[in-house]
Amino acid sequence: PIVPIMLYDAKLAQSMSEKLLKEGIYVIGFFYPVVPKGQARIRVQISADHSKKHLMQALDAFYQCGKKYDLI
């Protein structure tokens, strides 16, 4: 399934998706005109092929980025 991580800010979605990619987490930032203004997000897809190790790596990367951008 596709899981949106709502950030609401285009620059933040772009910056965070770039940082996550550098951490080895493939995510896509979406912002206007793909989504309505003010509805920027990062989109991730989770599958049964992801191991617990993969999921923990992704959670850790999101946590670190969230702290960096004062979201956590």
Side-chain angles (χ1 to χ4, degrees):
I2 295 169
V3 180
I5 310 297
M6 300 302 295
L7 298 172
Y8 306 101
D9 179 275
K11 288 183 181 183
L12 176 60
Q14 187 173 22
S15 294
M16 196 163 169
S17 65
E18 289 172 4
K19 174 72 172 148
L20 286 164
L21 185 58
K22 288 179 183 175
E23 296 294 322
I25 308 302
Y26 183 72
V27 297
I28 302 293
F30 285 94
F31 36 86
Y32 183 83
V34 178
V35 296
K37 285 185 180 180
Q39 296 294 309
R41 64 198 74 184
I42 290 175
R43 187 175 89 173
V44 300
Q45 289 182 272
I46 300 169
S47 87
D49 283 339
H50 288 111
S51 67
K52 185 174 182 179
K53 181 181 175 184
H54 292 136
L55 297 175
M56 295 307 293
Q57 179 185 3
L59 288 173
D60 183 56
F62 268 96
Y63 179 78
Q64 296 303 321
C65 283
K67 299 237 348 146
K68 177 182 177 180
Y69 291 104
D70 293 324
L71 299 172
I72 297 175

PDB file of all heavy atoms in Angstrom, residues 44-70:
ATOM      1  N   VAL A  44       5.478   6.766   0.608  1.00  0.00           N
ATOM      2  CA  VAL A  44       6.257   5.539   0.745  1.00  0.00           C
ATOM      3  C   VAL A  44       5.366   4.355   0.391  1.00  0.00           C
ATOM      4  O   VAL A  44       4.147   4.441   0.470  1.00  0.00           O
ATOM      5  CB  VAL A  44       6.836   5.361   2.171  1.00  0.00           C
ATOM      6  CG1 VAL A  44       7.757   6.499   2.535  1.00  0.00           C
ATOM      7  CG2 VAL A  44       5.740   5.249   3.198  1.00  0.00           C
ATOM      8  N   GLN A  45       5.996   3.283  -0.010  1.00  0.00           N
ATOM      9  CA  GLN A  45       5.271   2.048  -0.287  1.00  0.00           C
ATOM     10  C   GLN A  45       5.899   0.934   0.524  1.00  0.00           C
ATOM     11  O   GLN A  45       7.117   0.749   0.505  1.00  0.00           O
ATOM     12  CB  GLN A  45       5.303   1.704  -1.772  1.00  0.00           C
ATOM     13  CG  GLN A  45       4.458   2.655  -2.587  1.00  0.00           C
ATOM     14  CD  GLN A  45       4.447   2.300  -4.051  1.00  0.00           C
ATOM     15  OE1 GLN A  45       5.305   2.750  -4.780  1.00  0.00           O
ATOM     16  NE2 GLN A  45       3.483   1.503  -4.455  1.00  0.00           N
ATOM     17  N   ILE A  46       5.069   0.214   1.231  1.00  0.00           N
ATOM     18  CA  ILE A  46       5.515  -0.884   2.073  1.00  0.00           C
ATOM     19  C   ILE A  46       5.006  -2.177   1.438  1.00  0.00           C
ATOM     20  O   ILE A  46       3.862  -2.231   0.997  1.00  0.00           O
ATOM     21  CB  ILE A  46       4.965  -0.728   3.503  1.00  0.00           C
ATOM     22  CG1 ILE A  46       5.452   0.592   4.098  1.00  0.00           C
ATOM     23  CG2 ILE A  46       5.369  -1.905   4.373  1.00  0.00           C
ATOM     24  CD1 ILE A  46       4.783   0.973   5.389  1.00  0.00           C
ATOM     25  N   SER A  47       5.879  -3.181   1.403  1.00  0.00           N
ATOM     26  CA  SER A  47       5.447  -4.456   0.837  1.00  0.00           C
ATOM     27  C   SER A  47       5.859  -5.610   1.742  1.00  0.00           C
ATOM     28  O   SER A  47       6.703  -5.454   2.640  1.00  0.00           O
ATOM     29  CB  SER A  47       6.023  -4.658  -0.566  1.00  0.00           C
ATOM     30  OG  SER A  47       7.293  -5.240  -0.512  1.00  0.00           O
ATOM     31  N   ALA A  48       5.281  -6.757   1.477  1.00  0.00           N
ATOM     32  CA  ALA A  48       5.595  -7.956   2.254  1.00  0.00           C
ATOM     33  C   ALA A  48       7.044  -8.390   2.046  1.00  0.00           C
ATOM     34  O   ALA A  48       7.582  -9.152   2.840  1.00  0.00           O
ATOM     35  CB  ALA A  48       4.641  -9.085   1.878  1.00  0.00           C
ATOM     36  N   ASP A  49       7.679  -7.900   0.996  1.00  0.00           N
ATOM     37  CA  ASP A  49       9.082  -8.238   0.750  1.00  0.00           C
ATOM     38  C   ASP A  49      10.040  -7.489   1.672  1.00  0.00           C
ATOM     39  O   ASP A  49      11.212  -7.856   1.765  1.00  0.00           O
ATOM     40  CB  ASP A  49       9.465  -7.937  -0.701  1.00  0.00           C
ATOM     41  CG  ASP A  49       8.951  -8.985  -1.669  1.00  0.00           C
ATOM     42  OD1 ASP A  49       8.653 -10.116  -1.230  1.00  0.00           O
ATOM     43  OD2 ASP A  49       8.851  -8.674  -2.863  1.00  0.00           O
ATOM     44  N   HIS A  50       9.558  -6.445   2.338  1.00  0.00           N
ATOM     45  CA  HIS A  50      10.422  -5.725   3.272  1.00  0.00           C
ATOM     46  C   HIS A  50      10.585  -6.554   4.541  1.00  0.00           C
ATOM     47  O   HIS A  50       9.616  -7.013   5.133  1.00  0.00           O
ATOM     48  CB  HIS A  50       9.827  -4.358   3.629  1.00  0.00           C
ATOM     49  CG  HIS A  50       9.900  -3.380   2.511  1.00  0.00           C
ATOM     50  ND1 HIS A  50       8.794  -2.931   1.846  1.00  0.00           N
ATOM     51  CD2 HIS A  50      10.957  -2.771   1.936  1.00  0.00           C
ATOM     52  CE1 HIS A  50       9.160  -2.078   0.905  1.00  0.00           C
ATOM     53  NE2 HIS A  50      10.476  -1.970   0.945  1.00  0.00           N
ATOM     54  N   SER A  51      11.830  -6.703   4.948  1.00  0.00           N
ATOM     55  CA  SER A  51      12.108  -7.443   6.181  1.00  0.00           C
ATOM     56  C   SER A  51      11.962  -6.503   7.375  1.00  0.00           C
ATOM     57  O   SER A  51      11.856  -5.280   7.221  1.00  0.00           O
ATOM     58  CB  SER A  51      13.538  -7.998   6.144  1.00  0.00           C
ATOM     59  OG  SER A  51      14.473  -6.927   6.190  1.00  0.00           O
ATOM     60  N   LYS A  52      11.976  -7.089   8.554  1.00  0.00           N
ATOM     61  CA  LYS A  52      11.930  -6.269   9.768  1.00  0.00           C
ATOM     62  C   LYS A  52      13.130  -5.322   9.796  1.00  0.00           C
ATOM     63  O   LYS A  52      12.999  -4.170  10.195  1.00  0.00           O
ATOM     64  CB  LYS A  52      11.913  -7.159  11.007  1.00  0.00           C
ATOM     65  CG  LYS A  52      11.748  -6.394  12.282  1.00  0.00           C
ATOM     66  CD  LYS A  52      11.592  -7.314  13.477  1.00  0.00           C
ATOM     67  CE  LYS A  52      11.389  -6.487  14.738  1.00  0.00           C
ATOM     68  NZ  LYS A  52      11.209  -7.338  15.919  1.00  0.00           N
ATOM     69  N   LYS A  53      14.269  -5.790   9.327  1.00  0.00           N
ATOM     70  CA  LYS A  53      15.470  -4.947   9.270  1.00  0.00           C
ATOM     71  C   LYS A  53      15.241  -3.737   8.361  1.00  0.00           C
ATOM     72  O   LYS A  53      15.613  -2.619   8.713  1.00  0.00           O
ATOM     73  CB  LYS A  53      16.666  -5.765   8.765  1.00  0.00           C
ATOM     74  CG  LYS A  53      17.948  -4.989   8.684  1.00  0.00           C
ATOM     75  CD  LYS A  53      19.086  -5.853   8.163  1.00  0.00           C
ATOM     76  CE  LYS A  53      20.337  -5.005   7.974  1.00  0.00           C
ATOM     77  NZ  LYS A  53      21.428  -5.764   7.386  1.00  0.00           N
ATOM     78  N   HIS A  54      14.630  -3.961   7.191  1.00  0.00           N
ATOM     79  CA  HIS A  54      14.325  -2.853   6.286  1.00  0.00           C
ATOM     80  C   HIS A  54      13.406  -1.832   6.955  1.00  0.00           C
ATOM     81  O   HIS A  54      13.622  -0.618   6.858  1.00  0.00           O
ATOM     82  CB  HIS A  54      13.620  -3.352   5.014  1.00  0.00           C
ATOM     83  CG  HIS A  54      14.469  -4.179   4.133  1.00  0.00           C
ATOM     84  ND1 HIS A  54      14.006  -5.337   3.560  1.00  0.00           N
ATOM     85  CD2 HIS A  54      15.748  -4.040   3.716  1.00  0.00           C
ATOM     86  CE1 HIS A  54      14.962  -5.870   2.814  1.00  0.00           C
ATOM     87  NE2 HIS A  54      16.036  -5.104   2.910  1.00  0.00           N
ATOM     88  N   LEU A  55      12.361  -2.337   7.608  1.00  0.00           N
ATOM     89  CA  LEU A  55      11.398  -1.440   8.259  1.00  0.00           C
ATOM     90  C   LEU A  55      12.047  -0.645   9.386  1.00  0.00           C
ATOM     91  O   LEU A  55      11.789   0.554   9.534  1.00  0.00           O
ATOM     92  CB  LEU A  55      10.197  -2.232   8.766  1.00  0.00           C
ATOM     93  CG  LEU A  55       9.374  -2.924   7.677  1.00  0.00           C
ATOM     94  CD1 LEU A  55       8.286  -3.777   8.300  1.00  0.00           C
ATOM     95  CD2 LEU A  55       8.793  -1.915   6.708  1.00  0.00           C
ATOM     96  N   MET A  56      12.906  -1.295  10.161  1.00  0.00           N
ATOM     97  CA  MET A  56      13.590  -0.593  11.247  1.00  0.00           C
ATOM     98  C   MET A  56      14.553   0.457  10.692  1.00  0.00           C
ATOM     99  O   MET A  56      14.668   1.549  11.253  1.00  0.00           O
ATOM    100  CB  MET A  56      14.323  -1.583  12.152  1.00  0.00           C
ATOM    101  CG  MET A  56      13.390  -2.525  12.908  1.00  0.00           C
ATOM    102  SD  MET A  56      12.079  -1.681  13.847  1.00  0.00           S
ATOM    103  CE  MET A  56      13.039  -0.852  15.083  1.00  0.00           C
ATOM    104  N   GLN A  57      15.218   0.139   9.583  1.00  0.00           N
ATOM    105  CA  GLN A  57      16.104   1.112   8.933  1.00  0.00           C
ATOM    106  C   GLN A  57      15.305   2.326   8.473  1.00  0.00           C
ATOM    107  O   GLN A  57      15.727   3.471   8.657  1.00  0.00           O
ATOM    108  CB  GLN A  57      16.811   0.455   7.751  1.00  0.00           C
ATOM    109  CG  GLN A  57      17.729   1.390   7.000  1.00  0.00           C
ATOM    110  CD  GLN A  57      18.326   0.761   5.748  1.00  0.00           C
ATOM    111  OE1 GLN A  57      18.019  -0.381   5.392  1.00  0.00           O
ATOM    112  NE2 GLN A  57      19.175   1.505   5.071  1.00  0.00           N
ATOM    113  N   ALA A  58      14.144   2.090   7.888  1.00  0.00           N
ATOM    114  CA  ALA A  58      13.295   3.193   7.419  1.00  0.00           C
ATOM    115  C   ALA A  58      12.794   4.028   8.596  1.00  0.00           C
ATOM    116  O   ALA A  58      12.828   5.262   8.552  1.00  0.00           O
ATOM    117  CB  ALA A  58      12.124   2.659   6.601  1.00  0.00           C
ATOM    118  N   LEU A  59      12.336   3.364   9.644  1.00  0.00           N
ATOM    119  CA  LEU A  59      11.855   4.101  10.820  1.00  0.00           C
ATOM    120  C   LEU A  59      12.956   4.949  11.436  1.00  0.00           C
ATOM    121  O   LEU A  59      12.724   6.101  11.827  1.00  0.00           O
ATOM    122  CB  LEU A  59      11.289   3.129  11.857  1.00  0.00           C
ATOM    123  CG  LEU A  59       9.951   2.492  11.505  1.00  0.00           C
ATOM    124  CD1 LEU A  59       9.591   1.424  12.523  1.00  0.00           C
ATOM    125  CD2 LEU A  59       8.860   3.552  11.422  1.00  0.00           C
ATOM    126  N   ASP A  60      14.153   4.394  11.515  1.00  0.00           N
ATOM    127  CA  ASP A  60      15.281   5.144  12.069  1.00  0.00           C
ATOM    128  C   ASP A  60      15.595   6.367  11.199  1.00  0.00           C
ATOM    129  O   ASP A  60      15.819   7.462  11.726  1.00  0.00           O
ATOM    130  CB  ASP A  60      16.509   4.251  12.198  1.00  0.00           C
ATOM    131  CG  ASP A  60      17.670   4.981  12.847  1.00  0.00           C
ATOM    132  OD1 ASP A  60      17.495   5.506  13.971  1.00  0.00           O
ATOM    133  OD2 ASP A  60      18.751   5.033  12.238  1.00  0.00           O
ATOM    134  N   ALA A  61      15.593   6.182   9.888  1.00  0.00           N
ATOM    135  CA  ALA A  61      15.877   7.304   8.986  1.00  0.00           C
ATOM    136  C   ALA A  61      14.801   8.384   9.104  1.00  0.00           C
ATOM    137  O   ALA A  61      15.109   9.577   9.147  1.00  0.00           O
ATOM    138  CB  ALA A  61      15.979   6.811   7.542  1.00  0.00           C
ATOM    139  N   PHE A  62      13.538   7.981   9.173  1.00  0.00           N
ATOM    140  CA  PHE A  62      12.456   8.958   9.347  1.00  0.00           C
ATOM    141  C   PHE A  62      12.586   9.675  10.688  1.00  0.00           C
ATOM    142  O   PHE A  62      12.369  10.888  10.775  1.00  0.00           O
ATOM    143  CB  PHE A  62      11.080   8.293   9.239  1.00  0.00           C
ATOM    144  CG  PHE A  62      10.523   8.313   7.845  1.00  0.00           C
ATOM    145  CD1 PHE A  62      10.682   7.228   7.011  1.00  0.00           C
ATOM    146  CD2 PHE A  62       9.846   9.431   7.363  1.00  0.00           C
ATOM    147  CE1 PHE A  62      10.172   7.243   5.725  1.00  0.00           C
ATOM    148  CE2 PHE A  62       9.340   9.457   6.088  1.00  0.00           C
ATOM    149  CZ  PHE A  62       9.499   8.361   5.255  1.00  0.00           C
ATOM    150  N   TYR A  63      12.955   8.941  11.724  1.00  0.00           N
ATOM    151  CA  TYR A  63      13.137   9.562  13.035  1.00  0.00           C
ATOM    152  C   TYR A  63      14.255  10.603  12.989  1.00  0.00           C
ATOM    153  O   TYR A  63      14.081  11.732  13.463  1.00  0.00           O
ATOM    154  CB  TYR A  63      13.434   8.490  14.087  1.00  0.00           C
ATOM    155  CG  TYR A  63      13.652   9.052  15.459  1.00  0.00           C
ATOM    156  CD1 TYR A  63      12.577   9.443  16.251  1.00  0.00           C
ATOM    157  CD2 TYR A  63      14.933   9.216  15.974  1.00  0.00           C
ATOM    158  CE1 TYR A  63      12.773   9.974  17.513  1.00  0.00           C
ATOM    159  CE2 TYR A  63      15.145   9.747  17.231  1.00  0.00           C
ATOM    160  CZ  TYR A  63      14.063  10.127  17.999  1.00  0.00           C
ATOM    161  OH  TYR A  63      14.265  10.674  19.242  1.00  0.00           O
ATOM    162  N   GLN A  64      15.395  10.240  12.410  1.00  0.00           N
ATOM    163  CA  GLN A  64      16.528  11.169  12.324  1.00  0.00           C
ATOM    164  C   GLN A  64      16.167  12.404  11.499  1.00  0.00           C
ATOM    165  O   GLN A  64      16.508  13.528  11.873  1.00  0.00           O
ATOM    166  CB  GLN A  64      17.758  10.460  11.734  1.00  0.00           C
ATOM    167  CG  GLN A  64      18.298   9.334  12.587  1.00  0.00           C
ATOM    168  CD  GLN A  64      18.671   9.767  13.994  1.00  0.00           C
ATOM    169  OE1 GLN A  64      19.208  10.849  14.217  1.00  0.00           O
ATOM    170  NE2 GLN A  64      18.365   8.917  14.963  1.00  0.00           N
ATOM    171  N   CYS A  65      15.486  12.197  10.373  1.00  0.00           N
ATOM    172  CA  CYS A  65      15.075  13.342   9.546  1.00  0.00           C
ATOM    173  C   CYS A  65      14.037  14.194  10.267  1.00  0.00           C
ATOM    174  O   CYS A  65      14.072  15.417  10.197  1.00  0.00           O
ATOM    175  CB  CYS A  65      14.512  12.862   8.204  1.00  0.00           C
ATOM    176  SG  CYS A  65      15.770  12.348   7.042  1.00  0.00           S
ATOM    177  N   GLY A  66      13.123  13.527  10.945  1.00  0.00           N
ATOM    178  CA  GLY A  66      12.098  14.256  11.695  1.00  0.00           C
ATOM    179  C   GLY A  66      12.718  15.149  12.756  1.00  0.00           C
ATOM    180  O   GLY A  66      12.277  16.277  12.977  1.00  0.00           O
ATOM    181  N   LYS A  67      13.745  14.653  13.425  1.00  0.00           N
ATOM    182  CA  LYS A  67      14.455  15.478  14.416  1.00  0.00           C
ATOM    183  C   LYS A  67      15.177  16.616  13.744  1.00  0.00           C
ATOM    184  O   LYS A  67      15.152  17.754  14.230  1.00  0.00           O
ATOM    185  CB  LYS A  67      15.420  14.613  15.214  1.00  0.00           C
ATOM    186  CG  LYS A  67      14.733  13.523  15.969  1.00  0.00           C
ATOM    187  CD  LYS A  67      14.866  13.384  17.418  1.00  0.00           C
ATOM    188  CE  LYS A  67      15.859  14.114  18.178  1.00  0.00           C
ATOM    189  NZ  LYS A  67      15.380  14.477  19.503  1.00  0.00           N
ATOM    190  N   LYS A  68      15.834  16.336  12.607  1.00  0.00           N
ATOM    191  CA  LYS A  68      16.588  17.371  11.897  1.00  0.00           C
ATOM    192  C   LYS A  68      15.695  18.524  11.468  1.00  0.00           C
ATOM    193  O   LYS A  68      16.080  19.689  11.523  1.00  0.00           O
ATOM    194  CB  LYS A  68      17.276  16.759  10.675  1.00  0.00           C
ATOM    195  CG  LYS A  68      18.025  17.783   9.847  1.00  0.00           C
ATOM    196  CD  LYS A  68      18.652  17.160   8.614  1.00  0.00           C
ATOM    197  CE  LYS A  68      19.280  18.163   7.849  1.00  0.00           C
ATOM    198  NZ  LYS A  68      19.862  18.677   7.024  1.00  0.00           N
ATOM    199  N   TYR A  69      14.486  18.205  11.031  1.00  0.00           N
ATOM    200  CA  TYR A  69      13.574  19.237  10.526  1.00  0.00           C
ATOM    201  C   TYR A  69      12.561  19.694  11.588  1.00  0.00           C
ATOM    202  O   TYR A  69      11.551  20.292  11.265  1.00  0.00           O
ATOM    203  CB  TYR A  69      12.843  18.714   9.279  1.00  0.00           C
ATOM    204  CG  TYR A  69      13.771  18.553   8.102  1.00  0.00           C
ATOM    205  CD1 TYR A  69      14.220  17.295   7.717  1.00  0.00           C
ATOM    206  CD2 TYR A  69      14.225  19.656   7.392  1.00  0.00           C
ATOM    207  CE1 TYR A  69      15.076  17.134   6.635  1.00  0.00           C
ATOM    208  CE2 TYR A  69      15.087  19.503   6.316  1.00  0.00           C
ATOM    209  CZ  TYR A  69      15.512  18.250   5.940  1.00  0.00           C
ATOM    210  OH  TYR A  69      16.360  18.103   4.882  1.00  0.00           O
ATOM    211  N   ASP A  70      12.845  19.395  12.855  1.00  0.00           N
ATOM    212  CA  ASP A  70      11.995  19.801  13.989  1.00  0.00           C
ATOM    213  C   ASP A  70      10.545  19.339  13.854  1.00  0.00           C
ATOM    214  O   ASP A  70       9.606  20.059  14.217  1.00  0.00           O
ATOM    215  CB  ASP A  70      12.043  21.330  14.183  1.00  0.00           C
ATOM    216  CG  ASP A  70      13.405  21.807  14.639  1.00  0.00           C
ATOM    217  OD1 ASP A  70      14.049  21.079  15.428  1.00  0.00           O
ATOM    218  OD2 ASP A  70      13.823  22.899  14.216  1.00  0.00           O
TER     219      ASP A  70
END
